[in-house]
Amino acid sequence: MAFKIFKEKAAWDMIGTASTMGMHMVSGTLVGLTMGYFLDRWLGTEPWLLLSFLLVGIVAGFKMVIEDSQRILRKQKDEDDDKGV
Amino acid sequence: MAAGGLPHPLIYFNELNHALGLNVPIHVWYTWAVMAILFTLSLAVRGKLAMVPAGLQNFFEVVIGGLEDFVVANIGEKGRTVFPIMAVIFIFILGMNLTGLVPGCDAPTANVNTNAAMAVCVFLYYNYIGLKTHGAGYIHHFMGPVKALSPLMLVLETVSHLARPLSLTLRLFGNIRGEEIVLILLFTLAPVVGTLPMYFLFILAKVIQAFIFFMLTMIYLKGSLEHAH
Protein backbone atom coordinates (compact mmCIF):
# COMPACT_ATOMS: atom_id res chain seq x y z
CA MET A 1 0.00 0.00 0.00
CA ALA A 2 1.11 3.49 -0.81
CA PHE A 3 -0.20 4.69 2.55
CA LYS A 4 2.52 2.83 4.39
CA ILE A 5 4.88 5.71 3.68
CA PHE A 6 2.92 7.95 6.06
CA LYS A 7 3.79 5.77 9.01
CA GLU A 8 7.35 7.10 8.81
CA LYS A 9 7.97 10.44 10.47
CA ALA A 10 10.70 11.33 7.97
CA ALA A 11 8.21 11.02 5.11
CA TRP A 12 5.88 13.57 6.71
CA ASP A 13 8.78 15.89 7.24
CA MET A 14 9.89 15.55 3.63
CA ILE A 15 6.39 16.15 2.25
CA GLY A 16 6.20 19.32 4.31
CA THR A 17 9.51 20.68 3.12
CA ALA A 18 8.92 19.74 -0.51
CA SER A 19 5.52 21.38 -0.70
CA THR A 20 6.95 24.48 0.95
CA MET A 21 9.65 25.18 -1.60
CA GLY A 22 7.46 26.20 -4.54
CA MET A 23 5.33 28.46 -2.39
CA HIS A 24 8.36 30.14 -0.84
CA MET A 25 9.74 31.18 -4.20
CA VAL A 26 6.47 32.84 -5.27
CA SER A 27 5.62 34.49 -1.97
CA GLY A 28 9.04 36.16 -1.66
CA THR A 29 8.59 37.75 -5.08
CA LEU A 30 5.04 38.86 -4.28
CA VAL A 31 6.01 40.49 -1.00
CA GLY A 32 8.89 42.33 -2.68
CA LEU A 33 6.60 43.55 -5.44
CA THR A 34 3.91 44.76 -3.03
CA MET A 35 6.40 46.55 -0.79
CA GLY A 36 7.98 48.28 -3.78
CA TYR A 37 4.60 49.29 -5.22
CA PHE A 38 3.33 50.90 -2.05
CA LEU A 39 6.65 52.55 -1.21
CA ASP A 40 6.61 54.07 -4.70
CA ARG A 41 3.09 55.38 -4.24
CA TRP A 42 4.06 56.82 -0.87
CA LEU A 43 7.36 58.46 -1.85
CA GLY A 44 6.50 59.24 -5.48
CA THR A 45 9.64 57.62 -6.89
CA GLU A 46 8.05 55.52 -9.65
CA PRO A 47 9.29 53.10 -10.90
CA TRP A 48 12.63 52.69 -9.13
CA LEU A 49 11.62 51.28 -5.76
CA LEU A 50 9.21 48.86 -7.43
CA LEU A 51 11.99 47.46 -9.61
CA SER A 52 14.58 47.25 -6.86
CA PHE A 53 12.21 45.66 -4.37
CA LEU A 54 11.04 43.18 -6.99
CA LEU A 55 14.68 42.18 -7.46
CA VAL A 56 15.14 41.91 -3.70
CA GLY A 57 11.99 39.78 -3.49
CA ILE A 58 13.22 37.39 -6.17
CA VAL A 59 16.58 37.05 -4.42
CA ALA A 60 14.83 36.46 -1.09
CA GLY A 61 12.64 33.77 -2.69
CA PHE A 62 15.68 31.96 -4.06
CA LYS A 63 17.42 32.29 -0.71
CA MET A 64 14.50 30.59 1.02
CA VAL A 65 14.52 27.76 -1.53
CA ILE A 66 18.26 27.29 -0.98
CA GLU A 67 17.73 27.19 2.79
CA ASP A 68 14.97 24.60 2.37
CA SER A 69 17.14 22.37 0.23
CA GLN A 70 19.99 22.73 2.73
CA ARG A 71 17.63 21.56 5.45
CA ILE A 72 16.71 18.47 3.40
CA LEU A 73 20.39 17.73 2.77
CA ARG A 74 21.28 18.10 6.44
CA LYS A 75 18.44 15.80 7.45
CA GLN A 76 19.51 13.16 4.95
CA LYS A 77 23.07 13.36 6.16
CA ASP A 78 21.94 12.89 9.76
CA GLU A 79 19.93 9.85 8.76
CA ASP A 80 22.85 8.36 6.85
CA ASP A 81 25.08 8.92 9.87
CA ASP A 82 22.53 7.18 12.07
CA LYS A 83 22.48 4.20 9.75
CA GLY A 84 26.27 4.07 9.57
CA VAL A 85 26.72 3.80 13.35
CA MET B 1 -21.67 30.03 0.28
CA ALA B 2 -20.91 29.68 -3.40
CA ALA B 3 -17.61 27.87 -3.77
CA GLY B 4 -16.00 29.15 -6.94
CA GLY B 5 -19.30 30.49 -8.27
CA LEU B 6 -21.08 27.18 -7.74
CA PRO B 7 -24.10 27.14 -5.46
CA HIS B 8 -23.66 24.94 -2.42
CA PRO B 9 -26.66 22.63 -2.09
CA LEU B 10 -27.24 23.30 1.60
CA ILE B 11 -25.43 25.16 4.37
CA TYR B 12 -26.84 24.78 7.87
CA PHE B 13 -25.68 28.14 9.09
CA ASN B 14 -27.21 29.97 6.13
CA GLU B 15 -30.54 28.68 7.35
CA LEU B 16 -29.67 29.75 10.88
CA ASN B 17 -28.72 33.22 9.63
CA HIS B 18 -32.08 33.45 7.89
CA ALA B 19 -33.96 32.26 10.94
CA LEU B 20 -32.21 34.68 13.30
CA GLY B 21 -32.05 37.59 10.83
CA LEU B 22 -28.26 37.77 11.26
CA ASN B 23 -25.56 38.31 8.67
CA VAL B 24 -22.55 36.56 10.21
CA PRO B 25 -20.28 35.09 7.50
CA ILE B 26 -20.36 31.32 7.09
CA HIS B 27 -16.66 30.79 7.79
CA VAL B 28 -17.01 32.60 11.12
CA TRP B 29 -19.96 30.39 12.09
CA TYR B 30 -18.05 27.25 11.26
CA THR B 31 -14.92 28.46 13.07
CA TRP B 32 -17.08 28.99 16.15
CA ALA B 33 -18.62 25.55 15.69
CA VAL B 34 -15.18 23.90 15.57
CA MET B 35 -14.09 25.90 18.60
CA ALA B 36 -17.20 24.79 20.47
CA ILE B 37 -16.54 21.14 19.60
CA LEU B 38 -12.92 21.37 20.70
CA PHE B 39 -13.81 23.15 23.96
CA THR B 40 -16.45 20.56 24.73
CA LEU B 41 -14.10 17.67 24.02
CA SER B 42 -11.26 19.13 26.07
CA LEU B 43 -13.53 19.93 29.00
CA ALA B 44 -14.97 16.42 28.82
CA VAL B 45 -11.46 14.96 28.91
CA ARG B 46 -10.30 17.27 31.69
CA GLY B 47 -13.33 16.44 33.79
CA LYS B 48 -12.25 12.86 34.35
CA LEU B 49 -8.49 12.63 34.00
CA ALA B 50 -7.20 9.31 35.24
CA MET B 51 -3.79 7.73 35.75
CA VAL B 52 -4.86 4.86 33.54
CA PRO B 53 -6.24 6.57 30.44
CA ALA B 54 -9.43 5.28 28.89
CA GLY B 55 -11.59 6.22 25.95
CA LEU B 56 -11.26 9.83 24.86
CA GLN B 57 -8.30 10.54 27.11
CA ASN B 58 -6.43 7.68 25.48
CA PHE B 59 -6.99 9.18 22.04
CA PHE B 60 -5.85 12.67 23.05
CA GLU B 61 -2.79 11.31 24.83
CA VAL B 62 -1.74 9.49 21.67
CA VAL B 63 -2.23 12.58 19.47
CA ILE B 64 -0.62 15.12 21.79
CA GLY B 65 2.13 12.74 22.90
CA GLY B 66 3.03 12.02 19.27
CA LEU B 67 3.13 15.71 18.40
CA GLU B 68 5.24 16.50 21.45
CA ASP B 69 7.76 13.79 20.59
CA PHE B 70 7.99 15.19 17.07
CA VAL B 71 8.55 18.75 18.35
CA VAL B 72 11.14 17.73 20.94
CA ALA B 73 13.01 15.63 18.34
CA ASN B 74 13.20 18.68 16.06
CA ILE B 75 13.63 21.68 18.37
CA GLY B 76 15.05 20.05 21.47
CA GLU B 77 13.97 20.43 25.10
CA LYS B 78 13.33 24.17 24.61
CA GLY B 79 10.49 23.16 22.32
CA ARG B 80 8.36 22.12 25.28
CA THR B 81 7.80 25.79 26.24
CA VAL B 82 6.27 26.65 22.86
CA PHE B 83 4.61 23.29 22.26
CA PRO B 84 1.05 24.16 23.45
CA ILE B 85 0.40 26.75 20.75
CA MET B 86 1.63 24.37 18.06
CA ALA B 87 -0.59 21.53 19.27
CA VAL B 88 -3.55 23.91 19.26
CA ILE B 89 -2.71 25.02 15.72
CA PHE B 90 -2.58 21.44 14.46
CA ILE B 91 -5.77 20.25 16.12
CA PHE B 92 -7.71 23.42 15.33
CA ILE B 93 -6.72 23.47 11.65
CA LEU B 94 -7.36 19.74 11.33
CA GLY B 95 -10.82 20.22 12.79
CA MET B 96 -11.58 23.12 10.48
CA ASN B 97 -10.29 21.26 7.41
CA LEU B 98 -12.34 18.18 8.16
CA THR B 99 -15.50 20.27 8.63
CA GLY B 100 -15.50 20.66 4.86
CA LEU B 101 -16.16 16.94 4.48
CA VAL B 102 -19.31 16.93 6.62
CA PRO B 103 -22.38 17.23 4.36
CA GLY B 104 -23.96 20.65 4.67
CA CYS B 105 -20.80 22.22 6.09
CA ASP B 106 -18.09 24.31 4.54
CA ALA B 107 -14.46 24.35 5.69
CA PRO B 108 -13.64 27.70 7.36
CA THR B 109 -10.10 27.33 5.99
CA ALA B 110 -11.54 27.56 2.46
CA ASN B 111 -11.85 31.28 3.16
CA VAL B 112 -8.67 33.32 2.97
CA ASN B 113 -9.54 35.42 6.04
CA THR B 114 -9.40 32.51 8.48
CA ASN B 115 -6.00 31.44 7.19
CA ALA B 116 -4.61 34.96 7.15
CA ALA B 117 -5.65 35.44 10.78
CA MET B 118 -3.84 32.26 11.84
CA ALA B 119 -0.75 33.01 9.76
CA VAL B 120 -0.47 36.51 11.25
CA CYS B 121 -0.79 34.99 14.73
CA VAL B 122 2.07 32.59 13.97
CA PHE B 123 4.19 35.44 12.56
CA LEU B 124 3.66 37.66 15.61
CA TYR B 125 4.19 34.74 18.01
CA TYR B 126 7.51 33.54 16.65
CA ASN B 127 8.85 37.09 16.52
CA TYR B 128 7.69 37.63 20.11
CA ILE B 129 9.45 34.43 21.17
CA GLY B 130 12.58 35.56 19.35
CA LEU B 131 12.53 38.94 21.07
CA LYS B 132 11.85 37.35 24.44
CA THR B 133 14.70 34.84 24.09
CA HIS B 134 17.37 37.07 22.58
CA GLY B 135 16.30 40.61 23.48
CA ALA B 136 17.85 43.21 21.20
CA GLY B 137 20.23 40.53 19.87
CA TYR B 138 17.32 39.13 17.86
CA ILE B 139 18.36 41.54 15.10
CA HIS B 140 21.37 39.29 14.41
CA HIS B 141 18.90 36.76 13.01
CA PHE B 142 18.24 39.22 10.21
CA MET B 143 21.85 40.15 9.43
CA GLY B 144 23.40 37.00 8.06
CA PRO B 145 26.83 35.59 8.87
CA VAL B 146 28.97 38.12 6.93
CA LYS B 147 29.30 41.54 8.54
CA ALA B 148 29.97 43.50 5.34
CA LEU B 149 26.77 42.24 3.73
CA SER B 150 24.53 42.88 6.72
CA PRO B 151 22.62 45.94 5.35
CA LEU B 152 21.69 43.95 2.24
CA MET B 153 20.80 40.90 4.30
CA LEU B 154 18.60 43.03 6.55
CA VAL B 155 16.39 43.97 3.58
CA LEU B 156 16.45 40.43 2.19
CA GLU B 157 15.57 38.80 5.49
CA THR B 158 12.77 41.30 6.14
CA VAL B 159 11.23 40.43 2.79
CA SER B 160 11.62 36.71 3.35
CA HIS B 161 10.16 36.90 6.86
CA LEU B 162 7.17 38.89 5.57
CA ALA B 163 6.72 36.27 2.86
CA ARG B 164 6.22 33.56 5.48
CA PRO B 165 2.67 34.46 6.57
CA LEU B 166 1.74 34.97 2.92
CA SER B 167 2.92 31.52 1.88
CA LEU B 168 1.27 29.93 4.94
CA THR B 169 -2.03 31.59 4.08
CA LEU B 170 -2.06 30.88 0.38
CA ARG B 171 -1.01 27.24 0.57
CA LEU B 172 -3.71 26.30 3.05
CA PHE B 173 -6.35 28.40 1.28
CA GLY B 174 -5.53 27.07 -2.17
CA ASN B 175 -5.55 23.43 -1.15
CA ILE B 176 -8.71 23.48 0.93
CA ARG B 177 -10.66 25.74 -1.42
CA GLY B 178 -9.65 23.56 -4.37
CA GLU B 179 -10.86 20.46 -2.58
CA GLU B 180 -14.19 22.08 -1.74
CA ILE B 181 -14.70 23.07 -5.39
CA VAL B 182 -13.86 19.55 -6.59
CA LEU B 183 -16.32 18.07 -4.09
CA ILE B 184 -19.14 20.36 -5.21
CA LEU B 185 -18.39 19.74 -8.89
CA LEU B 186 -18.44 15.98 -8.39
CA PHE B 187 -21.59 16.26 -6.32
CA THR B 188 -23.41 18.05 -9.13
CA LEU B 189 -22.14 15.48 -11.65
CA ALA B 190 -22.96 12.31 -9.72
CA PRO B 191 -24.43 12.87 -6.25
CA VAL B 192 -22.96 10.71 -3.46
CA VAL B 193 -21.42 8.09 -5.80
CA GLY B 194 -19.01 10.60 -7.29
CA THR B 195 -18.02 12.26 -4.02
CA LEU B 196 -17.50 9.21 -1.84
CA PRO B 197 -14.19 7.97 -3.34
CA MET B 198 -12.77 11.49 -3.18
CA TYR B 199 -13.38 11.54 0.57
CA PHE B 200 -10.54 9.11 1.18
CA LEU B 201 -8.11 11.18 -0.83
CA PHE B 202 -9.25 14.44 0.77
CA ILE B 203 -9.08 13.16 4.33
CA LEU B 204 -5.42 12.39 3.64
CA ALA B 205 -4.82 15.74 1.91
CA LYS B 206 -6.48 17.70 4.70
CA VAL B 207 -4.43 15.98 7.39
CA ILE B 208 -1.29 16.72 5.38
CA GLN B 209 -2.21 20.41 5.04
CA ALA B 210 -2.83 20.75 8.77
CA PHE B 211 0.46 18.98 9.44
CA ILE B 212 2.35 21.26 7.05
CA PHE B 213 1.02 24.38 8.80
CA PHE B 214 2.07 22.86 12.13
CA MET B 215 5.49 21.86 10.82
CA LEU B 216 6.23 25.28 9.34
CA THR B 217 5.25 26.94 12.62
CA MET B 218 7.70 24.59 14.30
CA ILE B 219 10.49 25.47 11.84
CA TYR B 220 9.91 29.21 12.32
CA LEU B 221 9.87 28.86 16.11
CA LYS B 222 13.04 26.78 15.93
CA GLY B 223 14.68 29.57 13.92
CA SER B 224 13.73 32.20 16.47
CA LEU B 225 14.72 30.05 19.47
CA GLU B 226 18.22 29.10 18.36
CA HIS B 227 21.22 31.40 18.17
CA ALA B 228 21.95 33.37 15.01
CA HIS B 229 24.48 31.65 12.80
Side-chain angles (χ1 to χ4, degrees):
Chain A
M1 276 290 277
F3 288 103
K4 229 173 212 172
I5 192 170
F6 295 109
K7 292 215 173 122
E8 284 186 42
K9 273 183 185 154
W12 282 92
D13 216 39
M14 197 62 97
I15 288 170
T17 320
S19 65
T20 315
M21 287 171 83
M23 210 67 206
H24 267 166
M25 204 151 155
V26 182
S27 58
T29 316
L30 274 179
V31 166
L33 194 72
T34 327
M35 275 171 77
Y37 179 76
F38 283 104
L39 280 176
D40 259 352
R41 286 234 310 224
W42 181 40
L43 301 169
T45 49
E46 279 132 28
W48 301 111
L49 284 181
L50 178 79
L51 289 176
S52 46
F53 268 89
L54 177 61
L55 201 71
V56 166
I58 292 171
V59 174
F62 268 103
K63 192 177 136 295
M64 286 194 285
V65 172
I66 291 170
E67 280 170 357
D68 285 342
S69 55
Q70 273 172 342
R71 192 162 45 232
I72 292 181
L73 280 179
R74 211 180 313 133
K75 195 146 250 166
Q76 260 170 357
K77 220 172 132 219
D78 285 352
E79 271 162 31
D80 289 349
D81 288 351
D82 284 350
K83 272 177 200 156
V85 172
Chain B
M1 189 181 69
L6 294 159
H8 202 295
L10 168 77
I11 291 278
Y12 299 136
F13 283 110
N14 267 339
E15 310 298 320
L16 189 67
N17 265 344
H18 270 296
L20 296 178
L22 290 173
N23 205 13
V24 180
I26 293 304
H27 62 275
V28 178
W29 270 121
Y30 279 112
T31 314
W32 286 344
V34 173
M35 278 162 62
I37 292 170
L38 289 182
F39 275 130
T40 322
L41 279 180
S42 52
L43 286 178
V45 170
R46 203 189 65 169
K48 43 181 179 185
L49 280 182
M51 277 306 284
V52 183
L56 210 53
Q57 191 192 348
N58 219 336
F59 172 72
F60 274 101
E61 278 193 6
V62 168
V63 172
I64 292 175
L67 288 177
E68 189 165 15
D69 284 347
F70 187 79
V71 168
V72 172
N74 276 285
I75 305 188
E77 283 300 318
K78 275 184 292 183
R80 287 194 205 275
T81 53
V82 290
F83 170 70
I85 198 164
M86 284 188 274
V88 167
I89 278 175
F90 179 74
I91 296 171
F92 188 42
I93 292 181
L94 184 63
M96 289 203 285
N97 285 351
L98 292 179
T99 319
L101 293 178
V102 181
C105 294
D106 201 11
T109 36
N111 188 302
V112 91
N113 296 302
T114 317
N115 305 342
M118 288 184 303
V120 168
C121 280
V122 168
F123 177 74
L124 292 177
Y125 183 68
Y126 84 76
N127 279 315
Y128 161 73
I129 288 289
L131 279 172
K132 205 176 94 174
T133 323
H134 303 288
Y138 186 50
I139 191 114
H140 291 297
H141 282 253
F142 295 85
M143 303 252 256
V146 189
K147 204 145 214 174
L149 284 175
S150 58
L152 178 68
M153 292 306 275
L154 195 63
V155 180
L156 267 182
E157 287 283 349
T158 311
V159 171
S160 78
H161 274 253
L162 285 174
R164 284 169 173 187
L166 185 74
S167 73
L168 278 178
T169 309
L170 289 183
R171 181 182 21 256
L172 189 57
F173 165 70
N175 277 289
I176 305 301
R177 184 58 174 268
E179 283 163 13
E180 298 287 301
I181 291 175
V182 167
L183 273 185
I184 290 187
L185 271 177
L186 284 175
F187 189 78
T188 48
L189 284 176
V192 186
V193 185
T195 35
L196 219 54
M198 298 310 277
Y199 266 50
F200 295 103
L201 178 64
F202 286 167
I203 287 174
L204 186 69
K206 282 171 191 238
V207 176
I208 289 179
Q209 284 311 316
F211 182 77
I212 286 173
F213 204 105
F214 159 79
M215 206 194 70
L216 284 173
T217 311
M218 188 188 72
I219 289 174
Y220 299 156
L221 278 168
K222 185 186 177 195
S224 65
L225 275 171
E226 67 192 9
H227 282 284
H229 23 217

